[in-house]
Amino acid sequence: MLVRLLYASRAVDTSPSALEGILKVAREHNLDHGITGVLIYQGGVFLQALEGGRRAVNDLFGAIQRDRRHKDVELLLFEEIVQRSLCGWAMGLVDVERVNPGTLLRYSDGQGLNPYAVSGRTSLAFIEDLTATAAICGHT
Ligand SMILES: Cc1cc2nc3c(=O)[nH]c(=O)nc-3n(C[C@H](O)[C@H](O)[C@H](O)COP(=O)(O)O)c2cc1C
């Protein structure tokens, strides 16, 4: 049983080393637990998509909610899926500063990445657009 989960949160420590620390552990853990996904970051806001087995995704989201490196964790979308759409990434990273501004504008109110203000479906469409145009760094 495969599921997809999307959530938003706000970083507590916005330094590049803090982000690298999160990603390093995430990639190792995700490979071991069959989880794939993308972490999008801009201006202190995270948007993350997780795909994998229902049990594994639930357990991980529990750990993520308890993680003190971010706050205001808000569930945006949870759904059963027939197949993964983010299967190439143990945890890809998108630095929104490097995304074509037109792509972001299509899915936002013009004020940058704000998953708190748009629907979960809109955030998912944004992620699918980014993955389709391969605007993902840190493939693995
Ligand atoms: C924004 C953010 C994204 C994260 N993404 C993942 C992830 O994709 N996979 C992962 O294993 N841990 C991720 N973590 C770390 C988890 O919250 C947690 O620290 C890790 O799973 C270890 O949990 P444990 O200490 O309960 O074993 C993320 C943390 C933050 C702050």
Side-chain angles (χ1 to χ4, degrees):
M1 159 76 67
L2 284 172
V3 300
R4 175 185 298 130
L5 185 152
L6 251 68
Y7 76 88
S9 66
R10 291 195 169 88
V12 169
D13 178 353
T14 58
S15 67
S17 61
L19 192 56
E20 278 161 27
I22 290 170
L23 275 171
K24 187 172 182 298
V25 177
R27 285 178 177 150
E28 289 165 8
H29 176 276
N30 292 358
L31 272 176
D32 289 348
H33 292 83
I35 290 178
T36 50
V38 179
L39 180 64
I40 295 170
Y41 179 76
Q42 190 198 30
V45 174
F46 289 118
L47 166 65
Q48 190 173 30
L50 302 168
E51 293 178 349
R54 185 166 63 195
R55 181 76 264 151
V57 171
N58 265 284
D59 288 348
L60 175 56
F61 189 54
I64 285 174
Q65 284 177 295
R66 291 188 297 272
D67 196 318
R68 296 189 164 223
R69 291 173 291 182
H70 62 172
K71 59 183 182 175
D72 303 339
V73 178
E74 190 163 311
L75 181 64
L76 304 175
L77 185 105
F78 182 83
E79 62 184 356
E80 291 175 1
I81 52 174
V82 174
Q83 61 182 37
R84 298 173 194 250
S85 53
L86 307 169
C87 47
W89 291 276
M91 187 45 62
L93 174 69
V94 178
D95 178 354
V96 175
E97 311 302 340
R98 291 169 59 183
V99 169
N100 178 346
T103 304
L104 180 58
L105 187 60
R106 234 178 300 144
Y107 302 98
S108 79
D109 55 9
Q111 307 297 311
L113 178 70
N114 189 357
Y116 294 98
V118 300
S119 71
R121 286 265 149 231
T122 297
S123 289
L124 178 61
F126 176 54
I127 291 170
E128 287 177 341
D129 196 332
L130 293 178
T131 53
T133 54
I136 309 265
C137 18
H139 190 290
T140 50

